[in-house]
Amino acid sequence: MSYVLAPDQLRRYRDIVRLLAKYGRSDLVDRSDLEPILSEEPLSAEAAADADELTSDLEALGPTFIKLGQLLSTRSDLLPPAYLESLARLQDHVEPFPYAEVEAIIHEELGVRVSKAFAELDSTPLASASLGQVHRARLRDGRLVAVKVQRPGIRQRIAGDLEALERIADFLDGHTEAGRRFGFADILDQFRKSLVAELDYRREAQNLLAVGASLESFELLVVPQPVADYTTSRVLTMDFLAGARLDELSPLVRMDYDGAALAEQLFAAYLRQILVDGLFHADPHPGNLLLTRDGRIALLDLGMVGHVSPGLQEQLLKLLLALSEGRGEEVAHLVLTLGSRTSEVGEPERFRRDIADLVMRHREAALAEIELGRVVLELVRVSGGNGVRVPAELTLLGKALLNLDHVGRALDPTFNPNAAIRRHAAELMSRRLRASLSPGNVLSGLIEAKEFAEALPGRVNAILTHLAENDLRLKVDAFDERELIRAFQKIANRITTGLVLAALVVGAALMMRVETAFTLFGYPGFAMLCFLAAAAGAVFVLWDILIHDRGAKPHR
């Protein structure tokens, strides 16, 4: 097996394979096929490292693998809980790139010099991540803004990493049982789409506008709005919001704001995003939530968002209500409705029993121990273990709720997400009903009603005409009685043929004792003719069964 790769691709390829060999199961990597890649520095045999070591290794491999780790943190069907928690804490803080390159990118993207576009632009970044970094600036009209600039050369590096990952995924899908079961190529395709979308800052600007519009009624929440004229695919300019990260607040600062009200509005806002609007911030960890100086929570970094279809929203709302009230049987039924069964599906009764046990443990837990997001992720894991593959949106929902559980308790230690869901259930249902009564839906229903009303008289007239002429027929597609009769006839004919052949064999055996002048092969000739006739008939019947019965298709 040969590989033709550029030196930088070969290095990345080798790093990926080492990672798989280090953490993967024995059936995940075939060392003999991948030896050309590992030949420079053979990987020493060592025990599997814990989840934190995997997280550190992914951080060392660079931005693509950090984002991949964040995606894997949503796949509770692939990894155990300890790995999911560790990967969810992945940080991508890296050294900032030089300010001269920042100026060059802004000039290239906006078409003007930095001094013309901004009254001032801080040379020291506020934050630096693997995909870009953020600088504080002031527009010519005095408005404070944050300018997010994409890291130079990041698209080319990610393209090389994705190419290496694609080769690995194809190899695993074609040569390992794990690849055939989980479909790593499909996972990589989902990851590619998410990462490409995150590299286009114009999409993030659209997400800021959409989420900001949906949260206008929440006075304690704010989303920075983009500046359209200063935004391109590699530069994003948005409102500057001063404040502190929720995970960095001191106890004294926490005493100055109403934590219960903030937690309640934040949780209600996410429920509305997921279950009504269908567009939600998919990564609300404490680092992406900012407590502003005026006591509001700012939602930052909307490069990664989740989408939920209207049909799925209703099912998710029912599922969350059933979970919050401890109805295990209903939870199992909803999961089966939401998911699709794989070839390795388990017993339905065992699946329902596992789900009921999970819900019961959740229901009996102490109030301080209840984490609704963790329960949803555990639900995904149990479903995967029983051969039920749930939609990816359910995993994103679980991860978002898990982060919200932690943030809610950081703001208010007595916060109960189950009670919050029950409190807002009526409002969510009301909003869903109002959304279904939008002008577009009402107009579509009126058009269908008009078409039905136009076709109804002709159809009723046709039915009455058939009734008057005694020619009304009801066609039931159950089975064809004529085909059934033909099948019975075939069975009867074969039984009769079998009896005739048996009689020939018995008669020939009896005639073997009668000496005759006519012989065949040294035996009485007439008896041998009966034997041969019986053998030919048996061969013909077997041939007819093998050719016609095996090739016959069931009648529909």
Side-chain angles (χ1 to χ4, degrees):
M1 187 174 184
S2 61
Y3 299 86
V4 180
L5 296 172
D8 59 334
Q9 291 178 324
L10 180 61
R11 175 184 55 78
R12 296 189 189 105
Y13 206 167
R14 211 166 42 239
D15 289 340
I16 302 168
V17 175
R18 287 201 185 92
L19 204 60
L20 287 174
K22 184 177 180 182
Y23 296 101
R25 302 193 312 241
S26 59
D27 67 333
L28 203 59
V29 178
D30 188 338
R31 297 270 315 178
S32 61
D33 284 340
L34 299 178
E35 193 61 36
I37 305 169
L38 299 172
S39 57
E40 290 186 13
E41 301 174 21
L43 185 68
S44 59
E46 55 186 38
D50 59 17
D52 290 334
E53 284 184 294
L54 173 60
T55 301
S56 300
D57 286 341
L58 288 174
E59 288 178 341
L61 283 174
T64 308
F65 299 93
I66 292 173
K67 298 299 180 182
L68 180 60
Q70 292 172 351
L71 170 66
L72 291 176
S73 70
T74 68
R75 296 301 301 261
S76 54
D77 55 334
L78 294 177
L79 298 173
Y83 282 80
L84 298 177
E85 293 180 9
S86 180
L87 291 173
R89 297 192 298 269
L90 264 174
Q91 300 295 318
D92 57 354
H93 302 303
V94 297
E95 290 296 322
F97 55 93
Y99 179 69
E101 295 185 1
V102 173
E103 289 185 318
I105 292 174
I106 292 177
H107 176 69
E108 179 182 350
E109 291 293 312
L110 301 184
V112 296
R113 296 194 305 272
V114 170
S115 59
K116 293 291 185 182
F118 303 98
E120 60 181 77
L121 177 67
D122 290 350
S123 59
T124 303
L126 296 171
S128 179
S130 56
L131 298 186
Q133 62 190 37
V134 181
H135 291 257
R136 181 178 177 273
R138 186 185 300 275
L139 298 179
R140 288 292 180 179
D141 59 3
R143 178 182 175 184
L144 283 176
V145 293
V147 183
K148 188 175 182 180
V149 182
Q150 195 169 103
R151 189 171 289 274
I154 191 64
R155 298 191 180 192
Q156 292 78 5
R157 177 172 183 180
I158 287 178
D161 290 338
L162 289 175
E163 184 178 349
L165 283 170
E166 185 177 356
R167 290 170 180 257
I168 291 290
D170 290 340
F171 174 84
L172 294 178
D173 287 353
H175 295 81
T176 67
E177 181 62 31
R180 285 185 286 271
R181 179 180 179 185
F182 295 110
F184 293 115
D186 293 337
I187 297 175
L188 181 61
D189 184 59
Q190 175 190 355
F191 171 62
R192 182 195 301 275
K193 292 177 181 177
S194 173
L195 193 53
V196 168
E198 200 167 349
L199 286 172
D200 188 350
Y201 286 166
R202 292 170 298 187
R203 295 193 183 186
E204 183 173 350
Q206 295 173 357
N207 296 335
L208 291 171
L209 291 171
V211 175
S214 69
L215 301 184
E216 283 183 343
S217 59
F218 294 91
E219 65 275 5
L220 295 180
L221 303 179
V222 60
V223 178
Q225 294 301 285
V227 182
D229 294 337
Y230 291 78
T231 297
T232 68
S233 63
R234 298 173 63 201
V235 174
L236 172 61
T237 305
M238 54 191 160
D239 295 334
F240 176 78
L241 299 175
R245 288 169 41 140
L246 289 184
D247 57 349
E248 296 178 350
L249 299 179
S250 65
L252 292 177
V253 173
R254 295 177 189 271
M255 297 175 60
D256 294 336
Y257 61 83
D258 187 353
L262 288 172
E264 183 74 17
Q265 282 211 9
L266 182 65
F267 201 81
Y270 268 88
L271 289 178
R272 182 188 297 184
Q273 289 179 64
I274 297 169
L275 302 175
V276 178
D277 300 329
L279 176 71
F280 65 97
H281 186 200
D283 196 22
H285 64 77
N288 283 340
L289 300 176
L290 194 74
L291 182 65
T292 63
R293 293 173 181 173
D294 57 358
R296 296 185 296 173
I297 293 180
L299 278 64
L300 307 178
D301 193 5
L302 268 73
M304 182 185 297
V305 295
H307 299 271
V308 185
S309 64
L312 185 58
Q313 288 172 2
E314 296 182 2
Q315 298 296 328
L316 289 179
L317 177 56
K318 294 178 183 177
L319 179 64
L320 290 179
L321 287 173
L323 276 174
S324 65
E325 296 177 359
R327 303 194 300 268
E329 285 292 329
E330 186 175 350
V331 170
H333 172 72
L334 288 169
V335 171
L336 287 173
T337 302
L338 284 170
S340 59
R341 302 190 180 191
T342 65
S343 57
E344 300 179 1
V345 65
E347 298 178 2
E349 288 303 320
R350 176 187 172 187
F351 171 72
R352 291 187 175 90
R353 185 171 61 253
D354 291 345
I355 294 297
D357 291 344
L358 170 64
V359 175
M360 186 56 63
R361 291 197 307 270
H362 162 62
R363 186 175 185 178
E364 294 175 353
L367 181 63
E369 299 173 352
I370 294 176
E371 289 185 340
L372 187 58
R374 189 181 302 279
V375 176
V376 174
L377 291 177
E378 182 71 11
L379 189 67
V380 175
R381 188 191 64 78
V382 172
S383 301
N386 283 273
V388 179
R389 185 174 296 172
V390 299
E393 291 84 355
L394 185 59
T395 308
L396 281 177
L397 171 64
K399 181 185 177 184
L401 290 176
L402 182 61
N403 284 325
L404 287 176
D405 290 340
H406 296 160
V407 171
R409 286 188 172 85
L411 293 170
D412 177 19
T414 64
F415 177 70
N416 182 2
N418 286 341
I421 288 178
R422 291 192 290 270
R423 282 196 301 272
H424 295 285
E427 179 189 356
L428 292 171
M429 289 299 298
S430 175
R431 287 186 173 275
R432 283 213 50 77
L433 289 175
R434 289 200 297 271
S436 65
L437 294 176
S438 64
N441 289 338
V442 173
L443 182 59
S444 177
L446 290 175
I447 292 175
E448 291 181 0
K450 170 181 170 293
E451 294 175 351
F452 173 76
E454 291 176 347
L456 184 61
R459 292 172 179 171
V460 172
N461 185 46
I463 294 174
L464 294 177
T465 300
H466 286 301
L467 280 174
E469 297 176 356
N470 197 23
D471 191 32
L472 183 64
R473 298 181 181 180
L474 181 63
K475 182 179 179 181
V476 179
D477 190 11
F479 62 86
D480 191 341
E481 65 278 5
R482 289 173 295 182
E483 185 70 21
L484 183 62
I485 292 174
R486 280 197 295 269
F488 283 140
Q489 288 176 344
K490 183 184 292 186
I491 294 173
N493 291 339
R494 287 182 177 169
I495 293 175
T496 303
T497 304
L499 291 174
V500 171
L501 294 176
L504 287 174
V505 172
V506 173
L510 292 175
M511 286 188 292
M512 280 291 185
R513 299 175 178 271
V514 179
E515 298 292 338
T516 61
F518 171 60
T519 61
L520 192 63
F521 304 115
Y523 296 99
F526 191 69
M528 288 300 298
L529 289 176
C530 290
F531 269 126
L532 293 174
V539 170
F540 175 79
V541 171
L542 290 175
W543 176 84
D544 184 68
I545 291 174
L546 292 175
I547 298 300
H548 294 92
D549 289 10
R550 292 181 63 183
K553 295 181 180 180
H555 179 73
R556 294 187 181 276

